[in-house]
Amino acid sequence: MKLHEYQSKLIFAKHGIPIPKGRVVATAQEARHIAEELGGRVVIKSQVLVGGRGKAGGVKLANDPEEAEQLAFQILGMEIKGLPVRKVLVDEAAAIESEIYFAITNDRAARKPVLIASAAGGMDIEEVARKSPEKIVKIHVDPLLGLRDYQSRDIAASIDLPRELWRDFGKISQGLWEAYSQNDATLAEINPLVIAGGARLIALDGKMIIDDNSLFRHPELAEMRDIDEEAPAETEARIYGLSYIKLDGNIGCMVNGAGLAMTSMDIVKLFGGQPANFLDIGGGAGQEKVAAALRIILSDPNVKTVLFNVFGGITRCDEVARGILAALAEVKTKVPMVVRLVGTNAEEGRQLLADAHMVTAETLAEAAQKAVAAAAGSLQPAPESRLVDRSHAAGAGHRGAK
Ligand code: GDP
Ligand code: MN
């Protein structure tokens, strides 16, 4: 789960990291009031859960409260990378001398957290990483020992931080480490950490990503979730406990078990298709969950066919079949469906689906081939299990046409 800038910075501040004075607001008038309170120049910052707001025009400096109101009005009317701006942060403006990139994230390959820093921070950090990776330094942290002082000093020296700032930098590193580790974050990032007038270090931007699997022990973080800024499919998937990741292909995949889901995607690709998503409905998924999963898959307009691959262990295939049929009664669609059911109550499940004229398959390879053919628009209905046609499936008169 991503946190907003203002939420991340409040967490940073709790751990002793200096942040600018400011407040988050939802209207231009409030932005004006905060600007009046702060006095002097302010920066108006869109609060959306994507990076690159500066380049998209979502971060602007205002000289006075009047301008703050105008800019807030303008930014509150924007959409950034498809996300509506519903809140802006009004922060005291800083006189920037230089911008540092500083973050802690997981290095999966090393199986350790890693500190990443660069003196070339700011809005072009991605470009720096691509073109001059030598300007980025990394130090791994032993998760059991935590961040050691010498490691902060190492980083400070590597990015040529002026000596008089090392002490403060040490406190900021320790604060960032605490914010990262105590909140089960997978990322805690300050970009830019600036050297401001008067040789002070301030975190001007903040970003945190919290491991979703840890939210059960951080109710205060779970509450920070901003549903307005999430894709609706992701919200629904979360509510129903489904693991859903949208991809760019056109074959929707509904599978139980993460391993089987990956295998299904691989086999779809093997036969020349492209999966539209990863979706794990989990073990023991009942009718309601299956229906939700189908709604989510079909909400993607790229989906040209849906492949169901269910291995019934705890999950009962007839339950899944009923879920599919219930969902189809609800979500009217002409998208062809290919179903492979094996395991507990598979026979019963297959019967239910065959009665509704869905394409069934025995093996995963057969299912994948049929799905790829259906996505290309060339699936010939099998003699005893025709492609589902909603207008027919609804009428009992056409059932049992075997
Ligand atoms: P991002 O583009 O989404 O990463 O948003 P940031 O919060 O990092 O802001 C983008 C850029 O705006 C920063 O890299 C700074 O150059 C600039 N900026 C942000 N806050 C201030 C400020 O208080 N004063 C000045 N002069 N520039 C700022
Ligand atoms: Mn930034």
Side-chain angles (χ1 to χ4, degrees):
M1 178 182 95
K2 290 180 188 167
L3 297 185
H4 279 297
E5 173 192 4
Y6 76 95
Q7 296 167 327
S8 308
K9 288 205 299 205
L10 286 176
I11 294 175
F12 291 169
K14 260 196 231 158
H15 294 281
I17 299 174
I19 60 166
K21 268 193 216 144
R23 282 260 295 281
V24 69
V25 297
T27 66
Q29 288 89 328
E30 289 172 287
R32 182 196 190 103
H33 292 146
I34 302 301
E36 278 163 1
E37 247 173 72
L38 293 172
R41 290 192 345 142
V42 293
V43 55
I44 310 288
K45 314 184 71 175
S46 53
Q47 298 299 289
V48 280
L49 297 172
V50 285
R53 295 164 304 160
K55 286 193 173 162
V59 177
K60 296 248 165 76
L61 280 162
N63 288 307
D64 51 52
E66 176 67 38
E67 198 180 358
E69 181 172 348
Q70 283 167 13
L71 291 174
F73 181 79
Q74 187 189 321
I75 293 175
L76 283 165
M78 285 173 69
E79 247 189 26
I80 298 181
K81 299 181 185 170
L83 295 172
V85 180
R86 296 218 161 87
K87 290 184 200 123
V88 290
L89 176 63
V90 183
D91 261 1
E92 213 170 44
I96 301 177
E97 282 167 19
S98 74
E99 299 189 296
I100 295 162
Y101 177 91
F102 191 31
I104 304 179
T105 187
N106 290 343
D107 182 342
R108 283 172 180 255
R111 291 188 281 174
K112 280 178 184 162
V114 62
L115 242 70
I116 305 173
S118 176
M123 295 193 283
D124 294 318
I125 191 68
E126 281 86 5
E127 181 124 346
V128 173
R130 245 192 331 269
K131 294 196 175 148
S132 28
E134 74 285 352
K135 288 190 184 156
I136 295 177
V137 294
K138 295 182 182 176
I139 292 189
H140 287 100
V141 180
D142 185 315
L144 299 178
L145 296 176
L147 179 68
R148 317 303 290 175
D149 287 346
Y150 76 88
Q151 295 183 305
S152 306
R153 285 194 296 273
D154 249 15
I155 292 261
S158 314
I159 60 170
D160 292 322
L161 192 72
R163 198 68 174 79
E164 69 267 25
L165 292 173
W166 284 23
R167 234 184 116 82
D168 289 348
F169 184 77
K171 286 187 197 151
I172 291 172
S173 320
Q174 208 42 250
L176 195 64
W177 169 253
E178 283 172 20
Y180 169 86
S181 52
Q182 292 176 13
N183 293 297
D184 287 309
T186 56
L187 175 75
E189 181 190 83
I190 308 176
N191 184 36
L193 171 66
V194 300
I195 305 180
R200 291 183 309 138
L201 285 170
I202 311 174
L204 281 204
D205 189 10
K207 178 174 178 185
M208 285 186 79
I209 302 178
I210 309 296
D211 182 348
D212 283 321
N213 293 316
S214 79
L215 287 174
F216 74 95
R217 59 183 179 197
H218 301 290
E220 73 295 349
L221 295 176
E223 257 176 41
M224 291 184 183
R225 190 184 290 281
D226 186 350
I227 290 180
D228 288 346
E229 295 286 334
E230 271 184 346
E234 279 171 31
T235 309
E236 191 168 8
R238 186 166 39 72
I239 290 168
Y240 284 94
L242 305 161
S243 308
Y244 170 80
I245 294 162
K246 189 191 165 332
L247 301 167
D248 295 332
N250 60 7
I251 300 179
C253 300
M254 167 149 14
V255 188
N256 65 330
L260 192 59
M262 286 189 276
T263 307
S264 306
M265 290 162 68
D266 280 351
I267 294 187
V268 161
K269 285 189 182 181
L270 186 70
F271 288 110
Q274 287 298 332
N277 64 278
F278 167 93
L279 193 152
D280 173 12
I281 58 173
Q287 185 173 314
E288 222 183 292
K289 214 167 170 182
V290 172
L294 192 57
R295 277 198 305 274
I296 291 168
I297 291 179
L298 292 174
S299 70
D300 175 356
N302 292 339
V303 169
K304 294 283 175 286
T305 184
V306 180
L307 166 63
F308 295 83
N309 185 24
V310 173
F311 181 85
I314 302 168
T315 311
R316 287 169 38 197
C317 293
D318 60 315
E319 268 281 310
V320 172
R322 272 185 256 277
I324 295 170
L325 296 176
L328 285 176
E330 207 181 293
V331 192
K332 304 274 180 257
T333 179
K334 289 238 161 89
V335 169
M337 314 261 162
V338 179
V339 188
R340 173 183 180 244
L341 298 174
V342 272
T344 312
N345 294 0
E347 201 40 58
E348 207 179 326
R350 269 199 293 267
Q351 189 59 51
L352 284 165
L353 297 175
D355 286 351
H357 315 301
M358 293 184 75
V359 177
T360 57
E362 293 289 323
T363 67
L364 180 47
E366 184 194 343
Q369 276 171 299
K370 284 182 172 170
V372 172
S378 60
L379 179 63
Q380 292 307 310
E384 72 271 57
S385 52
R386 302 202 325 254
L387 266 185
V388 69
D389 176 341
R390 298 285 80 227
S391 55
H392 288 207
H398 294 274
R399 304 177 104 235
K402 288 176 69 165

